[in-house]
Amino acid sequence: MHDDGALVEKRIDRFVRERLRPAVHRASVPLRVDAWSVTDAPVPFSEAVRQSYTAFGTGRAWGRPWGTTWFHVTGTVPAEWAGEAGTRVELVVDLGFSRATPGFQAEGLVWTPDGIILKAVEPRNRSVPLRARPGGQVDLYIEAAANPDVTSGFTFVATDQGDPATAGTDQIYRLKRVDLALRDEAVWQLSQDFWTLTGLMRELPVGLARRAEIRRALESCIDAMDPDDVAGTAGLGRAALAAVLARPANASAHRLHAVGHVHIDSAWLWPVRETVRKVARTFSNVLSLMEENPDFAFAASSAQQYAWLKEHYPELFARVKAQVAAGRFVPVGGMWVESDTNMPGGEALARQFVTGKRFFIEEFGVEPLEVWLPDSFGYSAALPQIMVAAGSRWFLTQKTSWNETNLMPHHTFRWEGIDGTQIFTHFPPVDTYNAQLSGEEPARAERQYAEKGAANTSLVPFGWGDGGGGPTEEMIAAARRTASLGGSPTVELSTPRRFFEAAEAEYPEPPVWSGELYLEFHRGTYTSQARTKRGNCRSEHLLREAELWACAASVSSGAEYPYDALEQAWQTVLLQQFHDILPGSSIAWVHQEAERNYAAVADALTTLIEVSARQMCGAGDGAVTLNAGPFPSEAYQGWGVARRPRRMPSAPRRHPAPRCAARPPASCSTTASWPSRSTLTGSSPPLVDLAAARELMPRGARGNLLQLHRDTPTQWDAWDIDEHYKRNTVDLSAAESVEVFADAPEQVGVRVTRTFGSSRLVERITLAAGSPAIDLHLEIDWHEKQKLLKLAFPLDLHADRAASEIQFGHVFRATHTNTSWDAARFETVAHRWVHVGEPGYGVAVANDSTYGHDIGRSTGPDGRTRTTVRLSLLRAEVFPDPAADQGRHELRVSLRVGAGIPEAVAEGYRLNRPLRTVDGVSAARVEHLIEVDNPAVVVEAVKLAEDRSGDLIVRLYEAHGSRARARVIRHFEATDVTETDLLERPLAAGAATLSADGPALALELRPFQLVTLRFARP
Ligand SMILES: [Zn+2]
């Protein structure tokens, strides 16, 4: 037989394009359109409906960028449609849609005159089924959002449209169509047959008989139909396809659980306020689909998005709530938002679950057990413990399939975290969280599935996502056709829970992946939008302070605990940890708003702290210095959370006590000349640990070296740092001025000013007598473009691996590039500190603002191994925010010599939770609230219980990576203590060994163990 396969497939495409699709509507009539444009921010329906509308026809331009136009559409359903059998009346709208996918351009929401939302109109989902009968009236409102497409087809071209101040006022859309239309059901069904079968055909191997069989069937269908009377011959066409559609799936076919889903980015190429409307649009689409498809269930994450719906769209929220109760609308994830997991601190990541699950439980009586993070940029090795501690059982993502270098070997596995906790995890092999579910994607999922032979079930999340939209009736129609279809995996409309239960039962002993799920991609997100990063970091630490002192005030003086104010601050911080805000990958608008919100959070929390201090200490003319850190400070011996020096652990320490270091000025003859002008402008400065008699700076190397790199990513500018950045480096060693200063008798330093490009940097280098740390304070006025600024510390150390702080612990990563996995980690994330060392000696580098690092090893000209720690300070990418990071920045960095992991942990807290002095009080000190007698056990949070019972919650963790015994001593009245999960519910069998003896509680923790204690108060 001659092979005409390629030609036949082309013929099929053309038939669909030119004959089938245009015949879906038998007839249509235009509606009358009147319009009213909102001048500023969106308004509620009740306000829009009261405005006066002016006549507006199709073909006219509408919508300045980010503007809203309300269209009032009216008309009559033609009486002659009464006799048309097998049809459906629908509203068809084209707001001027482009070829871009839904969610990245104009979108509309259709309302009835009494304020009920029907459904959204979006590209690729333009129709709204109507109940109006022939001869009946149609009267509807369309709230049309003129969201600009800032993507330019994701060519990463700089755009001004991401900021309303620069987006211009030209109207960017042209209304194309507002019609009543009569849909031919048989033609529509035939279209779905074609879509499913052509998708499957294309994904099947060329040589497979089934592929040819489908092709021939489609060809016969076209032959049987009259191209000039598609509607009249659709029945013939469907009959020609009946046999090929009836062919059942193979007995060993892969089993797919298709879960209706939407991934709505809480902000990204649109501001938060637009996401509120995106949620309403998508959820209304879903409710409309549920009416027609009783077996269709839908999963959506992010308590924040449901909370927006509750606040802004109560009627829609009530309908969602009813479907949640029916088990069809399934809240998943349990987090407040789909947050980044690289950068949020331990307590913040815990609160994502605490706050999210609390919302779902209180509003719906439902606790999501599956953690749902399809799109975050890599997954912290602390997550398994946090997820399990929050009561979750399963984890889903697929983002690591985006790795540039290495393919993850598993699709279903147990993921093990730093403390040994494991969680059942699934990566959908379909490799998208926005599946359209034609025949093509299920077949691809089967082909890629890595567990073949051992297991045979996977999940496919379907629905337009990122910018919203969700599932469509076409996707459900495809699922029905692939329920059992030869050549395709079987597709079952399902829920995440049904999938996970089936997958776990089928595969009880899956392989284990230990440690972080590092994304070999998007490595710039640890650094981009530095002010957003700093805002998050500072807010997290302020929240700890505010909660601690509010607790102390409540316990000591009966002051009212500011539940609402703290909750509001937390919700803002948690929202901004969303995986395009904190990572710095949003438009300018989002980051400007984030910075304003962080400033407001800082104001509110600072006020709370001061109020608490006055409640604890009484009003007066004095001042009190507060230490909210978990370790005592030499400068101040009273603290809220403290340890008793006399109860320091008896176990031998790996390193001697902190030592005099780095040429302390007060005790060394080099005081006046340290560091000399020459050391700062060129030659190698000395860095000597006097106590260890150890020169730390490699010969010929410069420490504290600022390096400017070309930073022009191949794609995804704000997201990516590509390895080629390293090939273009300028050392910023020249100084404009160097001034020596003395702040205090025992604290001196130098102030160095450097200018480069269009930027200026002032660095204060301070060294206190006896301190093992050099403190750097940097103020940078940054006006570069597409440059990466790094700060390097080459060290004469032979470190095989580097430790980086993550949530409730740290991870080790290789300093070499032996394997492709090590090599791909050329830029990594760390929280407050990183540590490099040899057995018995090490150095910690801490900072208070940024997260990006690279730590590598090389051999110097003298043949000695040197380990170089570099921090990524600033970037200046041009997409999606063309002015990203321009302007002023401030951060602190410290280098601590002679540090083991315990000293690194302490250094991180010292830099991030400095002492605070509050004026206007009478007492000069506050009493301890909680003491812990082992520095390995760190109190991370002290708060009152979420249920507002007044119980006191203490969250602590083992920070050194070793087994630890500790006594926790309380200085407040308590009637009982229990170990709980993160949601403060008692654990049936506490993970920690716990025994109480009066106010002292003995704990035994495994490495990195996280423990939540709940103290009942009288
Ligand atoms: Zn996303």
Side-chain angles (χ1 to χ4, degrees):
M1 188 173 175
H2 299 295
D3 180 7
D4 61 351
L7 270 178
V8 173
E9 289 180 14
K10 276 189 178 173
R11 182 186 175 209
I12 293 166
D13 283 349
R14 187 162 186 191
F15 176 79
V16 170
R17 200 169 58 238
E18 292 188 358
R19 306 290 178 171
L20 195 53
R21 275 199 212 125
V24 164
H25 289 120
R26 263 187 221 175
S28 69
V29 292
L31 287 166
R32 178 191 163 87
V33 181
D34 297 276
W36 170 69
S37 285
V38 186
T39 48
D40 199 7
V43 298
F45 175 82
S46 56
E47 194 179 324
V49 76
R50 293 198 309 267
Q51 308 303 319
S52 59
Y53 286 67
T54 53
F56 194 96
T58 49
R60 274 183 64 182
W62 68 277
R64 60 180 169 74
W66 305 112
T68 298
T69 298
W70 286 78
F71 296 112
H72 185 199
V73 302
T74 47
T76 308
V77 181
E80 59 270 27
W81 289 1
E84 302 274 357
T87 59
R88 169 176 117 174
V89 176
E90 53 187 35
L91 170 73
V92 178
V93 179
D94 185 343
L95 294 171
F97 298 129
S98 71
R99 295 168 67 88
T101 50
F104 294 94
Q105 52 170 304
E107 304 173 59
L109 187 60
V110 180
W111 301 72
T112 67
D114 46 358
I116 305 296
I117 293 171
L118 292 183
K119 187 181 158 294
V121 282
E122 292 162 338
R124 310 188 202 192
N125 189 355
R126 304 174 181 201
S127 61
V128 181
L130 297 178
R131 294 224 172 84
R133 289 160 190 269
Q137 296 299 302
V138 172
D139 184 346
L140 297 166
Y141 289 83
I142 304 170
E143 178 187 8
N147 300 337
D149 176 4
V150 304
T151 68
S152 306
F154 287 103
T155 49
F156 314 107
V157 175
T159 170
D160 291 331
Q161 292 203 310
D163 180 349
T166 57
T169 53
D170 288 351
Q171 293 181 322
I172 54 174
Y173 291 103
R174 197 168 289 277
L175 189 66
K176 280 192 199 147
R177 184 179 184 192
V178 183
D179 287 352
L180 282 176
L182 195 62
R183 186 170 96 173
D184 185 307
E185 290 298 297
V187 176
W188 186 83
Q189 293 289 354
L190 184 62
S191 289
Q192 310 320 310
D193 295 342
F194 265 79
W195 189 48
T196 302
L197 289 171
T198 52
L200 175 60
M201 177 182 73
R202 292 230 159 74
E203 185 58 31
L204 291 175
V206 172
L208 204 69
R210 177 63 173 163
R211 178 168 175 148
E213 182 181 69
I214 293 171
R215 186 168 53 225
R216 289 296 165 214
L218 291 167
E219 188 182 31
S220 303
C221 166
I222 296 170
D223 291 342
M225 290 178 64
D226 177 354
D228 296 322
D229 184 15
V230 169
T233 55
L236 289 175
R238 294 209 78 199
L241 292 178
V244 82
L245 281 166
R247 178 95 68 202
N250 296 335
S252 60
H254 185 63
R255 287 184 290 274
L256 269 179
H257 287 247
V259 176
H261 170 239
V262 67
H263 176 72
I264 304 181
D265 288 310
S266 290
W268 180 24
L269 303 177
W270 47 86
V272 164
R273 72 106 160 114
E274 193 55 37
T275 314
V276 175
R277 299 202 292 181
K278 283 177 180 290
V279 173
R281 290 183 205 118
T282 301
F283 284 15
S284 69
N285 285 343
V286 168
L287 292 170
S288 167
L289 272 182
M290 282 180 172
E291 278 178 33
E292 318 262 322
N293 300 278
D295 55 343
F296 163 64
F298 170 81
S301 72
S302 304
Q304 168 72 85
Q305 297 186 357
Y306 292 82
W308 282 328
L309 201 69
K310 183 182 178 192
E311 183 185 345
H312 298 282
Y313 301 91
E315 184 272 332
L316 200 55
F317 182 72
R319 282 192 275 153
V320 166
K321 205 166 174 168
Q323 292 294 3
V324 173
R328 299 184 59 198
F329 205 113
V330 185
V332 289
M335 297 172 75
W336 186 246
V337 294
E338 287 187 16
S339 81
D340 179 78
T341 78
N342 287 313
M343 291 172 279
E347 186 59 22
L349 209 45
R351 296 296 175 94
Q352 287 286 352
F353 289 95
V354 173
T355 312
K357 285 201 173 186
R358 219 183 84 200
F359 181 90
F360 288 131
I361 291 168
E362 286 176 5
E363 291 295 335
F364 303 130
V366 164
E367 181 181 354
L369 299 181
E370 58 295 281
V371 180
W372 193 270
L373 291 173
D375 191 33
S376 301
F377 307 150
Y379 302 91
S380 161
L383 255 184
Q385 179 172 218
I386 294 171
M387 294 190 285
V388 170
S392 299
R393 285 176 58 188
W394 306 299
F395 175 53
L396 178 134
T397 179
Q398 61 80 47
K399 194 69 178 181
T400 42
S401 71
W402 291 36
N403 276 2
E404 289 173 324
T405 310
N406 297 288
L407 190 66
M408 284 295 298
H410 314 303
H411 281 116
T412 301
F413 58 101
R414 282 211 203 103
W415 180 27
E416 182 183 85
I418 48 170
D419 71 310
T421 301
Q422 294 186 352
I423 189 161
F424 191 88
T425 297
H426 180 64
F427 294 168
V430 71
D431 275 359
T432 176
Y433 49 82
N434 295 332
Q436 295 178 49
L437 215 57
S438 76
E440 180 189 346
E441 282 165 328
R444 187 173 77 213
E446 177 167 36
R447 182 165 52 78
Q448 296 187 153
Y449 183 63
E451 314 306 312
K452 283 190 192 85
N456 201 21
T457 306
S458 74
L459 183 146
V460 51
F462 70 95
W464 290 110
D466 293 326
T472 63
E473 56 182 337
E474 289 80 5
M475 298 174 191
I476 293 175
R480 301 210 185 292
R481 284 159 177 76
T482 48
S484 176
L485 179 64
S488 169
T490 62
V491 177
E492 171 192 349
L493 291 176
S494 185
T495 65
R497 186 178 188 129
R498 261 160 58 202
F499 161 74
F500 274 112
E501 285 176 349
E504 220 170 10
E506 171 190 76
Y507 205 24
E509 295 296 334
V512 175
W513 177 271
S514 185
E516 67 181 328
L517 295 170
Y518 177 85
L519 181 65
E520 296 172 350
F521 205 29
H522 296 357
R523 301 168 183 89
T525 58
Y526 320 140
T527 306
S528 298
Q529 298 282 4
R531 283 182 293 263
T532 298
K533 306 283 193 277
R534 182 174 176 80
N536 178 68
C537 197
R538 304 281 31 91
S539 299
E540 287 182 355
H541 289 93
L542 274 170
L543 276 161
R544 175 204 158 95
E545 273 193 77
E547 286 189 337
L548 172 66
W549 301 128
C551 257
S554 169
V555 167
S556 67
S557 65
E560 209 164 301
Y561 190 77
Y563 289 105
D564 291 337
L566 286 169
E567 188 172 289
Q568 200 184 353
W570 265 117
Q571 287 184 0
T572 302
V573 172
L574 295 178
L575 166 60
Q576 296 191 166
Q577 290 175 344
F578 173 70
H579 65 253
D580 282 306
I581 305 181
L582 180 52
S585 45
S586 282
I587 52 173
W589 192 349
V590 173
H591 290 287
Q592 290 162 9
E593 197 169 86
E595 287 170 32
R596 283 197 298 274
N597 288 343
Y598 284 129
V601 163
D603 282 349
L605 293 176
T606 304
T607 302
L608 284 186
I609 293 165
E610 289 169 356
V611 167
S612 296
R614 285 176 199 126
Q615 287 165 339
M616 285 186 288
C617 304
D621 300 331
V624 63
T625 300
L626 303 173
N627 174 11
F631 302 106
S633 161
E634 282 173 22
Y636 177 68
Q637 292 299 326
W639 49 81
V641 176
R643 29 201 101 253
R644 293 183 168 181
R646 67 175 189 278
R647 289 187 190 277
M648 289 302 270
S650 53
R653 297 167 58 121
R654 272 175 51 213
H655 302 289
R659 54 190 69 192
C660 173
R663 295 204 190 286
S667 60
C668 299
S669 59
T670 53
T671 300
S673 62
W674 183 90
S676 72
R677 179 178 296 265
S678 66
T679 64
L680 289 156
T681 52
S683 66
S684 172
L687 178 61
V688 179
D689 181 343
L690 295 177
R694 202 177 156 133
E695 167 85 46
L696 282 169
M697 199 64 62
R699 236 162 265 155
R702 281 193 294 268
N704 182 32
L705 175 67
L706 289 153
Q707 296 182 297
L708 198 62
H709 295 277
R710 182 193 295 170
D711 182 16
T712 51
T714 308
Q715 53 178 346
W716 299 104
D717 293 37
W719 294 256
D720 286 3
I721 289 176
D722 289 347
E723 209 190 359
H724 55 73
Y725 88 88
K726 287 184 177 168
R727 294 181 214 145
N728 198 292
T729 309
V730 176
D731 290 351
L732 304 177
S733 42
E736 185 180 284
S737 68
V738 180
E739 306 154 62
V740 176
F741 65 83
D743 274 0
E746 301 214 323
Q747 178 165 299
V748 299
V750 291
R751 186 183 297 106
V752 187
T753 303
R754 302 179 199 276
T755 52
F756 53 92
S758 310
S759 305
R760 182 181 168 85
L761 182 148
V762 180
E763 183 179 15
R764 247 173 84 99
I765 308 166
T766 317
L767 187 56
S771 165
I774 298 171
D775 285 317
L776 312 175
H777 176 262
L778 293 104
E779 286 178 273
I780 311 167
D781 193 16
W782 176 251
H783 296 282
E784 305 309 303
K785 289 276 185 185
Q786 297 189 300
K787 294 284 187 295
L788 168 61
L789 182 65
K790 289 228 172 205
L791 177 62
F793 297 97
L795 299 163
D796 186 4
L797 271 175
H798 185 115
D800 286 329
R801 59 183 191 170
S804 298
E805 191 192 28
I806 59 169
Q807 301 88 353
F808 304 120
H810 54 269
V811 288
F812 290 104
R813 301 185 184 103
T815 52
H816 54 70
T817 53
N818 278 3
T819 70
S820 58
W821 297 84
D822 298 325
R825 286 187 172 93
F826 59 81
E827 179 81 9
T828 52
V829 68
H831 288 192
R832 292 166 287 209
W833 55 267
V834 297
H835 177 267
V836 288
E838 299 165 353
Y841 192 86
V843 171
V845 177
N847 93 89
D848 75 344
S849 300
T850 188
Y851 301 90
H853 293 75
D854 70 288
I855 303 172
R857 218 169 68 182
S858 58
T859 304
D862 55 0
R864 293 165 71 93
T865 304
R866 57 180 66 172
T867 303
T868 303
V869 174
R870 298 202 307 161
L871 288 90
S872 302
L873 302 185
L874 288 171
R875 301 185 68 204
E877 63 278 4
V878 295
F879 181 85
D881 176 3
D885 275 328
Q886 301 300 298
R888 298 186 64 78
H889 300 271
E890 183 186 0
L891 80 156
R892 296 173 70 211
V893 177
S894 76
L895 182 130
R896 178 163 174 165
V897 302
I901 295 287
E903 289 74 26
V905 172
E907 188 63 17
Y909 281 103
R910 180 183 75 85
L911 214 59
N912 281 279
R913 289 187 185 139
L915 301 179
R916 173 187 297 275
T917 299
V918 179
D919 296 323
V921 298
S922 57
R925 60 178 289 130
V926 294
E927 292 309 313
H928 305 174
L929 197 57
I930 291 280
E931 287 177 83
V932 183
D933 68 355
N934 181 349
V937 178
V938 174
V939 174
E940 184 60 22
V942 178
K943 62 188 279 281
L944 291 195
E946 295 286 315
D947 62 10
R948 304 195 177 191
S949 61
D951 286 2
L952 193 137
I953 305 294
V954 176
R955 187 138 39 237
L956 34 80
Y957 68 103
E958 196 292 314
H960 296 172
S962 50
R963 207 158 292 267
R965 289 204 177 99
R967 277 158 46 90
V968 177
I969 300 125
R970 63 174 160 81
H971 295 275
F972 57 89
E973 291 290 306
T975 55
D976 190 23
V977 57
T978 45
E979 191 190 349
T980 69
D981 67 4
L982 290 182
L983 272 72
E984 302 164 6
R985 301 174 291 202
L987 287 177
T993 309
L994 188 143
S995 60
D997 174 18
L1001 189 68
L1003 290 179
E1004 188 178 329
L1005 276 71
R1006 66 176 188 274
F1008 300 125
Q1009 187 177 354
L1010 174 62
V1011 173
T1012 304
L1013 300 173
R1014 180 176 185 133
F1015 293 91
R1017 291 174 55 224

